[in-house]
Amino acid sequence: MRMFLCVKTQKLLSRVLSPSATVRWRRLSCVSSPDEDKPRPSVLRHLTTKLKATGPIPVAEYMREVLTNPVTGYYVRNNMLGPDGDFITSPEISQIFGELLGVWIVSEWIGAGRPKQLQLVELGPGKGSLACDVLRVLAQLRSVLGDASASLHLVEVSPALSRLQAQNLTGDRSQEANAEDEPVYRRGETAGGLPVSWYRRLDDVPAGFSVFLAHEFFDALPVHKFQRTAKGWREVMVDIDPEKPGQLRFVVAPSPTLASSTFVQAGERRDHVEVCPEGGVIVQQLAQRIAEDGGAALIADYGHDGTKTDTFRGFKGHQLHDVLAAPGSADLTADVDFSYLRRMAGGGVACLGPVAQRTFLKNMGIDTRMQVLLRNCSDASTRKQLIGSYNMLTDPAQMGERFLFFGLLHRSRLTQPERATGLTLDTKTKKSPLPPPVAGFTELSFS
Ligand code: SAH
């Protein structure tokens, strides 16, 4: 029975990878908004005013202010993704990435017994490219989904990016809510009539069977940083540099803070640790939703399993950038500690991974998909681009080993179904089927 899902997922793949499957060109245009033309308030001025009033602030508060302050935040004001932005992500590099995640979603929906409702929820959807690629797969597999009703729910803090997502996913078929505090701040539908809703927080997404995707989302959430000292663990804070006016510096808190007494694990062996409590809370919410309503979550990010120390860094124009210089002008990020996420998920759900992106994509059949695309592509420069993006996603020295995939599943998904207990004559001879393997985390068999 172990082969069951392998064959099922293989069938899903072969429909998505049909000979008609072609290379899709991305629209990299930006949708301008009325706010984008206004002069920006200085993030540095705002921060120094705050620091003068309160004294040093935790790195987590600095990161939150810089990235998601409702007026000045880097994510709130910018379109930072792509070749002209500050960084590029896997869904922007190749359509294959989102297509394989689309197959994963449908295979988990099948593994859960084909519920009548499928909510696809994406946290931090960027330009909406991943969702576009996933929805194209869902449309190709419409006959597999039968009469299940699918809907898309996007959790996005940035009004600028939500407009770009709406443009890419719905064209002009979306509308902003009238009142600013509406939990659903924008609604629309795709050309195929699939409903799409936008929320600021995961809390606002309705309950129901859901598959959650979070790609390069957790690394954008604020981290606290802690340093081991002769006096014990101390929190790293951000302060004004007294010797260089207008510049910021790191300082170590002289005494324990609430965070340093709470978040560092007993028996921690590293000298420096980063903890992302906001990420922990979101994983707890995902785990609770999956345990109560069924579903799965796939979290993909660069990260580690509780081994790394100082990973906080900035990116500007595809170059590393000093995290304290010109705040608001660069992306800030920290590697995701998957061992922390696993701990925060608790025992109510099953956790899988993390596995390297290369392993996950190869298990999902990326090599077969590449062959199909290359077979249908005679243009030399497009072929070169396809091969280049494949290498970027899978090469261990590029994104292949640095990016990790981590899954949360309903506990029933991995447990052997109970034997039938009815009084039918053949009950004794029936074998309980093994649970179907989880695609991506288990190698697909093409035998
Ligand atoms: N997933 C996309 C974009 C990654 S960038 C991709 O891989 O291409 C991070 C995304 O998360 C952006 O869309 C950003 O606006 C959003 N984001 C960052 N912090 C957030 C928060 N606290 N709540 C909701 N969205 C957030």
Side-chain angles (χ1 to χ4, degrees), residues 107-433:
S107 108
E108 277 315 298
W109 171 80
I110 293 173
R114 302 174 186 254
K116 285 280 165 250
Q117 187 204 25
L118 169 57
Q119 287 195 154
L120 172 60
V121 185
E122 189 181 352
L123 308 177
K127 286 184 172 179
S129 307
L130 176 58
C132 280
D133 294 336
V134 165
L135 291 190
R136 198 173 54 258
V137 168
L138 261 48
Q140 281 168 323
L141 297 175
R142 192 60 259 178
S143 62
V144 176
L145 290 169
D147 58 2
S149 70
S151 51
L152 177 63
H153 305 261
L154 303 175
V155 179
E156 175 56 74
V157 76
S158 161
L161 285 176
S162 76
R163 279 190 289 271
L164 188 56
Q165 293 150 16
Q167 183 68 36
N168 286 338
L169 286 156
T170 68
D172 52 12
R173 288 173 303 277
S174 89
Q175 234 184 342
E176 254 176 70
N178 294 330
E180 276 204 352
D181 52 355
E182 285 281 315
V184 184
Y185 67 86
R186 180 183 285 277
R187 274 180 211 280
E189 64 170 32
T190 63
L194 189 130
V196 189
S197 313
W198 279 262
Y199 314 80
R200 288 176 196 87
R201 302 170 319 135
L202 174 60
D203 272 349
D204 294 330
V205 176
F209 179 92
S210 303
V211 180
F212 300 91
L213 290 182
H215 184 262
E216 289 218 37
F217 168 75
F218 279 89
D219 73 281
L221 300 178
V223 290
H224 286 268
K225 286 171 83 64
F226 304 107
Q227 179 67 41
R228 188 195 294 277
T229 71
K231 292 191 226 135
W233 285 99
R234 292 290 182 269
E235 183 159 13
V236 179
M237 316 286 276
V238 174
D239 195 8
I240 298 171
D241 190 333
E243 280 160 24
K244 296 183 197 139
Q247 286 192 34
L248 303 174
R249 63 168 186 171
F250 287 119
V251 291
V252 174
S255 46
T257 59
L258 183 59
S260 66
S261 337
T262 320
F263 294 132
V264 183
Q265 282 216 97
E268 175 59 63
R269 298 174 73 153
R270 289 169 287 174
D271 286 338
H272 186 98
V273 288
E274 295 168 340
V275 182
C276 178
E278 216 169 289
V281 169
I282 291 177
V283 160
Q284 279 177 338
Q285 290 174 340
L286 293 176
Q288 194 180 346
R289 279 170 177 258
I290 292 168
E292 284 171 8
D293 308 319
L298 192 58
I299 298 172
D301 232 306
Y302 42 88
H304 58 94
D305 225 356
T307 50
K308 287 199 182 168
T309 53
D310 181 10
T311 70
F312 184 39
R313 59 202 182 278
F315 280 102
K316 186 174 180 176
H318 300 266
Q319 303 290 324
L320 275 172
H321 180 86
D322 179 346
V323 286
L324 297 182
S329 72
D331 185 35
L332 300 181
T333 172
D335 279 11
V336 174
D337 179 351
F338 287 100
S339 69
Y340 174 70
L341 296 192
R342 195 183 301 113
R343 263 199 320 279
M344 297 309 281
V349 285
C351 296
L352 287 185
V355 298
Q357 168 157 306
R358 173 186 172 78
T359 310
F360 185 89
L361 296 179
K362 283 190 174 268
N363 284 348
M364 287 301 304
I366 191 169
D367 292 338
T368 318
R369 175 62 173 144
M370 265 300 284
Q371 281 161 19
V372 175
L373 285 175
L374 288 174
R375 222 177 12 247
N376 292 309
C377 170
S378 50
D379 175 59
S381 80
T382 311
R383 287 178 73 87
K384 197 171 159 209
Q385 191 224 333
L386 278 172
I387 293 166
S389 53
Y390 167 88
N391 288 338
M392 203 154 176
L393 294 184
T394 57
D395 182 351
Q398 299 189 58
M399 294 166 122
E401 301 266 312
R402 267 184 243 157
F403 277 73
L404 304 176
F405 278 70
F406 179 69
L408 302 179
L409 301 172
H410 194 270
R411 286 190 72 81
S412 66
R413 178 66 180 79
L414 298 185
T415 50
Q416 199 156 350
E418 297 279 315
R419 271 180 185 234
T421 50
L423 291 175
T424 51
L425 285 176
D426 63 348
T427 310
K428 277 188 192 146
T429 55
K430 261 191 190 161
K431 287 217 168 99
S432 303

